[in-house]
Amino acid sequence: MKLADKSLAFARCVGERWQDQPAMDLPSFQRRYLYVQSFGAAHTARSYWILHRAKQHNDCNVLARNLLERIFNSRVAAKSPKHAVELIAYELSKRISGLRRLLREHQRLPKKATETIERHESELKVFLSLLGTQSVPQWDYYRRASVAGISSWAYRGLYSGFSCYTHADYGVSRPQDSNKPSSFADFIALLAPVETALFLHAPACTDTSCEVGLRYKALCDEFSNKTLEERISEDG
């Protein structure tokens, strides 16, 4: 089985077990947030490998950045239900802020835009009430990476590098150097579905010798050995 197939199979096996519950408490929203990250990582990784086979490596780097964000999100949200709901509240507040800014600039937007803002504001009140606060916690991606414990190599290293391909600035590689495969991007594309699935599984797991955790560890070692270490060896 190819490495990408192993990664996606693990994510599918864990994700298919999840069933949403109608509860509106902190732990339930934590599970929903972790499921969204796991589901999104699996589908984005699948797109990554389609582009990879087509040798569209610059586009792969764009998706690798998204996958790294999902790793940050899952690591933080898995720490506690409060962490997860703080992330939801922050992301919702950013969406409201963007829509309000758009509405100020374009006052003739359809009525639906105003209704969307009102719905989001109502939802935000629910999350802030669950958190017992009136102010929205701030969770930019640097803070997420720091709390996740991987700000050094993941944020300052990979995330900053992948961002060159996402933003339309002067930082992208020159044409003669572009569209080259990246072992680091490949590693993230393999890791993200597995890691986000593990954190989806973790809150409900009480097994001290968790089979899912053991499989995760084995896959991470294999992904690292087959992508990063082989490339380092090739580069001397």
Side-chain angles (χ1 to χ4, degrees):
M1 184 184 291
K2 294 179 179 178
L3 294 180
D5 293 333
K6 289 183 179 181
S7 172
L8 295 173
F10 179 93
R12 183 168 54 253
C13 178
V14 174
E16 286 177 347
R17 301 175 189 174
W18 184 75
Q19 295 292 328
D20 193 12
Q21 302 296 327
M24 300 287 282
D25 54 11
L26 288 171
S28 297
F29 281 114
Q30 179 193 34
R31 292 281 287 164
R32 291 181 190 118
Y33 188 85
L34 289 169
Y35 177 77
V36 167
Q37 298 308 316
S38 179
F39 182 87
H43 281 264
T44 302
R46 189 175 293 112
S47 297
Y48 178 98
W49 295 113
I50 291 172
L51 289 169
H52 196 279
R53 287 193 294 273
K55 300 188 184 304
Q56 300 301 310
H57 298 300
N58 280 3
D59 295 335
C60 286
N61 288 328
V62 175
L63 295 189
R65 183 179 187 267
N66 176 281
L67 291 167
L68 197 49
E69 288 180 350
R70 294 194 182 279
I71 291 175
F72 296 156
N73 293 345
S74 292
R75 282 185 171 234
V76 173
K79 287 184 175 294
S80 75
K82 183 181 177 183
H83 280 84
V85 175
E86 284 190 1
L87 290 175
I88 295 171
Y90 174 74
E91 291 168 5
L92 194 54
S93 73
K94 296 292 285 184
R95 198 172 305 140
I96 293 168
S97 176
L99 286 170
R100 284 206 168 280
R101 197 159 50 243
L102 181 66
L103 197 59
R104 283 196 300 270
E105 296 294 329
H106 305 279
Q107 297 180 7
R108 294 184 180 180
L109 285 175
K111 183 182 177 182
K112 186 177 180 181
T114 303
E115 293 172 350
T116 299
I117 292 173
E118 292 173 351
R119 185 179 73 253
H120 286 338
E121 288 177 335
S122 177
E123 293 168 349
L124 181 58
K125 288 178 182 177
V126 172
F127 294 124
L128 293 179
S129 176
L130 287 171
L131 292 168
T133 183
Q134 294 182 341
S135 59
V136 177
Q138 299 301 297
W139 279 102
D140 61 31
Y141 274 103
Y142 177 71
R143 185 186 177 197
R144 297 184 204 200
S146 297
V147 172
I150 52 175
S151 62
S152 180
W153 68 268
Y155 187 90
R156 294 190 181 92
L158 300 185
Y159 191 72
S160 298
F162 295 149
S163 294
C164 293
Y165 297 88
T166 304
H167 303 302
D169 58 19
Y170 191 69
V172 74
S173 60
R174 305 283 71 80
Q176 64 270 22
D177 299 322
S178 69
N179 206 40
K180 291 184 178 179
S182 165
S183 58
F184 296 109
D186 289 349
F187 176 68
I188 293 300
L190 293 169
L191 178 67
V194 171
E195 181 139 325
T196 55
L198 174 74
F199 286 119
L200 169 64
H201 170 80
C205 182
T206 57
D207 190 351
T208 54
S209 56
C210 175
E211 180 186 346
V212 172
L214 293 174
R215 288 172 55 207
Y216 160 81
K217 178 65 167 58
L219 284 171
C220 285
D221 289 344
E222 183 178 8
F223 297 159
S224 176
N225 292 337
K226 293 291 179 63
T227 56
L228 302 182
E229 292 188 12
E230 283 188 0
R231 182 58 181 268
I232 291 170
S233 176
E234 289 173 5
D235 292 346

